[in-house]
Amino acid sequence: MPNHCAELFSNYFPFWNKLTDIQKEKLCNSITFVKYNKGQNVHGSSGECTGVIFLKTGIVRAYLLSEEGKEVTLYRLYTGDVCMLSAACAIQNITFDVFIDAEEDCEAYIIKSDAFSALMSESLEVENFALRITTMRFSEVIWAMQQILFMSFDKRLAVFLIDELAKSDGDIVKMTQEQIAKYVGSAREVVSRMLKYFAFEGIVEVSRGGVKVIDKKHLKEIAF
Amino acid sequence: MPNHCAELFSNYFPFWNKLTDIQKEKLCNSITFVKYNKGQNVHGSSGECTGVIFLKTGIVRAYLLSEEGKEVTLYRLYTGDVCMLSAACAIQNITFDVFIDAEEDCEAYIIKSDAFSALMSESLEVENFALRITTMRFSEVIWAMQQILFMSFDKRLAVFLIDELAKSDGDIVKMTQEQIAKYVGSAREVVSRMLKYFAFEGIVEVSRGGVKVIDKKHLKEIAF
């Protein structure tokens, strides 16, 4: 068993110490190291059960995709997060599929679904871990749902721009209106209209490269 | 310990046989029998943690409620179902609140949150049971989300009317347009407009008492 495997699991998977040596060995033999480029699909497009993803570095976005190609962002995962929904096949009560894309270049470890599934059936602790992570995502999805269904659109867009600025530490959100629309779960035309209004109010400047926030104070007033 | 308590738990709560006699006794002492009238709020409006609800008879509806009073239906529970989100305070990773109303007259058993919470911390079997139920609701919520966000409104309304007919075994959906709007997560005006269109197409007849479906075949074509 490679040392870095024991280190990874003992740091991030609380069930590690409850496993037998054989289980530890099996688990370590089932993980692979992968890299994803920014924008690459991590899970969903192949229709296969990718496995449990441990995100070593980077950011991924989980979303629903309609038959017509409409996307709704459910949540994002960051360095150190574990993704269970990419192993939905291993969890009995999960009957839906999400898509997951890399939003930055990512490094990750993947635990194969069948190995994880076998371990879950042997150990209540492993199942408990998987279900707890899933329940955490449930809370994030409800939050996203409340944003989409209850928040007026000016507020939603303002919150989105402020969140994006906080990540990049600058004053420009470098995204096309098409991309923004995908992330806030709306149509490009609706985003375009609202950005024009924000620009008219002197809150933002819209250019080809993205959206520059000029009056952050005003934007925050709309958001909160 | 009353006999009907052991019977209830051994039939519906798979962890029952893993409990000690003391735990069984405590659990049985913590349940109360309640009745709700059709339309009554079961959970949410008081802001308190009601507890785990076992629905003996009837139907309840779980929904999100916005500050402006907008409702979005998440799922329904029927006879024999267990509701965990009414004991959200007992589950660490649940950070949201739902509202639950009785849609029919209901009879239920309620397990007090603190008793259930204590049991969860003693037994992984109990905690995993709670989390499995929660994960099942997660799947139902994602389904509802897909209906609301992805389905065109004519399709959504058609699916709703067909579902309601299937429950009542007749050809009339006895609801006001206001009620239908709440259930499909839309505005009354939008429902009214679409029903007028359905009526114009000879699919339904709208009266004060509800919506009578005349051309079920056509309605199904819209729905599927």
Side-chain angles (χ1 to χ4, degrees), chain B:
Chain B
M1 179 168 59
N3 262 336
H4 72 269
C5 175
E7 202 185 310
L8 169 71
F9 278 104
S10 58
N11 281 334
Y12 292 98
F13 296 79
F15 58 74
W16 178 252
N17 291 322
K18 310 277 180 176
L19 299 180
T20 65
D21 285 347
I22 294 173
Q23 288 173 328
K24 286 180 182 175
E25 181 99 28
K26 272 191 193 163
L27 195 56
C28 284
N29 287 335
S30 80
I31 65 172
T32 47
F33 178 73
V34 281
K35 287 185 179 191
Y36 300 105
N37 296 323
K38 184 174 174 172
Q40 198 179 331
N41 180 258
V42 172
H43 171 76
S45 61
S46 72
E48 277 169 31
C49 199
T50 308
V52 179
I53 300 171
F54 173 79
L55 204 56
K56 189 168 174 261
T57 60
I59 304 173
V60 300
R61 178 175 71 98
Y63 58 97
L64 295 176
L65 185 64
S66 78
E67 282 171 22
E68 289 81 26
K70 189 178 167 191
E71 293 183 7
V72 173
T73 299
L74 297 175
Y75 54 83
R76 287 184 173 76
L77 298 178
Y78 302 88
T79 299
D81 280 339
V82 175
C83 183
M84 289 303 312
L85 293 187
S86 51
C89 64
I91 304 175
Q92 208 186 353
N93 290 337
I94 295 286
T95 55
F96 56 91
D97 283 312
V98 299
F99 284 74
I100 299 168
D101 285 358
E103 280 206 326
E104 305 287 339
D105 291 347
C106 293
E107 294 178 314
Y109 292 104
I110 294 184
I111 309 168
K112 285 200 192 82
S113 301
D114 50 355
F116 195 80
S117 178
L119 208 55
M120 274 211 297
S121 64
E122 286 170 27
S123 160
L124 268 184
E125 314 263 359
V126 176
E127 193 188 350
N128 282 10
F129 171 79
L131 292 173
R132 271 187 229 128
I133 299 269
T134 304
T135 303
M136 212 188 291
R137 300 303 164 241
F138 188 11
S139 292
E140 289 169 285
V141 164
I142 289 281
W143 188 87
M145 203 169 167
Q146 287 171 325
Q147 305 303 304
I148 295 168
L149 296 173
F150 293 155
M151 225 188 243
S152 61
F153 188 69
D154 58 340
K155 200 168 171 174
R156 236 160 85 204
L157 187 59
V159 168
F160 176 78
L161 293 174
I162 288 168
D163 281 356
E164 288 303 309
L165 282 194
K167 276 184 221 162
S168 68
D169 213 29
D171 58 357
I172 296 182
V173 177
K174 283 177 194 149
M175 283 189 189
T176 65
Q177 299 186 8
E178 189 76 41
Q179 286 172 312
I180 294 175
K182 273 188 180 176
Y183 289 149
V184 296
S186 185
R188 199 195 54 75
E189 295 72 22
V190 178
V191 170
S192 178
R193 200 185 312 136
M194 191 58 76
L195 283 175
K196 265 183 204 149
Y197 166 77
F198 282 179
F200 181 79
E201 294 282 310
I203 303 169
V204 303
E205 256 174 34
V206 183
S207 70
R208 210 167 265 231
V211 179
K212 183 173 179 178
V213 176
I214 301 164
D215 190 346
K216 212 169 172 175
K217 190 166 161 279
H218 193 160
L219 194 65
K220 280 189 178 167
E221 280 167 10
I222 296 173
F224 304 112

Side-chain angles (χ1 to χ4, degrees), chain A:
Chain A
M1 179 168 62
N3 261 337
H4 72 269
C5 174
E7 202 185 310
L8 169 72
F9 278 105
S10 58
N11 280 335
Y12 292 97
F13 295 79
F15 58 74
W16 178 252
N17 292 323
K18 310 276 182 178
L19 299 181
T20 65
D21 285 347
I22 294 173
Q23 288 173 327
K24 286 180 181 174
E25 181 99 29
K26 272 191 193 163
L27 195 56
C28 284
N29 286 335
S30 81
I31 65 172
T32 47
F33 178 72
V34 281
K35 287 184 178 190
Y36 300 105
N37 296 322
K38 184 174 174 173
Q40 199 181 332
N41 179 259
V42 172
H43 171 77
S45 60
S46 72
E48 277 170 30
C49 199
T50 308
V52 179
I53 299 172
F54 172 79
L55 204 57
K56 190 169 173 262
T57 61
I59 304 172
V60 300
R61 179 176 70 98
Y63 57 96
L64 295 176
L65 185 65
S66 77
E67 281 172 21
E68 289 82 25
K70 190 178 166 191
E71 294 183 8
V72 173
T73 299
L74 298 175
Y75 55 82
R76 287 183 173 77
L77 298 177
Y78 302 88
T79 298
D81 279 340
V82 175
C83 183
M84 289 303 312
L85 293 188
S86 49
C89 62
I91 304 175
Q92 208 187 354
N93 290 337
I94 295 287
T95 55
F96 56 92
D97 283 311
V98 300
F99 284 73
I100 299 168
D101 286 357
E103 280 208 324
E104 305 287 339
D105 291 346
C106 292
E107 295 179 312
Y109 291 105
I110 294 183
I111 309 168
K112 286 200 192 82
S113 301
D114 50 356
F116 194 81
S117 177
L119 208 56
M120 273 211 299
S121 66
E122 286 170 28
S123 159
L124 275 181
E125 257 104 11
V126 176
E127 190 193 5
N128 187 262
F129 173 80
L131 291 172
R132 274 184 192 212
I133 298 270
T134 305
T135 303
M136 212 188 292
R137 301 301 164 241
F138 187 10
S139 292
E140 290 170 284
V141 165
I142 290 280
W143 188 87
M145 202 168 169
Q146 286 171 326
Q147 304 304 305
I148 295 168
L149 296 173
F150 292 155
M151 223 188 246
S152 60
F153 188 69
D154 57 341
K155 201 168 170 172
R156 235 161 84 204
L157 187 58
V159 168
F160 176 77
L161 293 174
I162 287 167
D163 282 356
E164 288 302 310
L165 282 193
K167 276 186 221 160
S168 67
D169 213 29
D171 59 356
I172 297 182
V173 177
K174 284 177 193 150
M175 284 189 187
T176 64
Q177 299 186 9
E178 188 77 41
Q179 286 172 311
I180 295 175
K182 274 190 181 176
Y183 289 148
V184 296
S186 185
R188 198 194 56 74
E189 296 71 23
V190 179
V191 170
S192 177
R193 199 185 312 135
M194 192 58 77
L195 283 175
K196 264 183 203 147
Y197 167 76
F198 282 180
F200 181 77
E201 295 281 311
I203 303 169
V204 303
E205 256 173 36
V206 182
S207 69
R208 211 166 264 229
V211 179
K212 183 173 177 178
V213 176
I214 300 165
D215 191 345
K216 211 167 172 176
K217 190 166 162 279
H218 194 160
L219 193 65
K220 280 188 178 167
E221 281 167 9
I222 296 172
F224 306 112

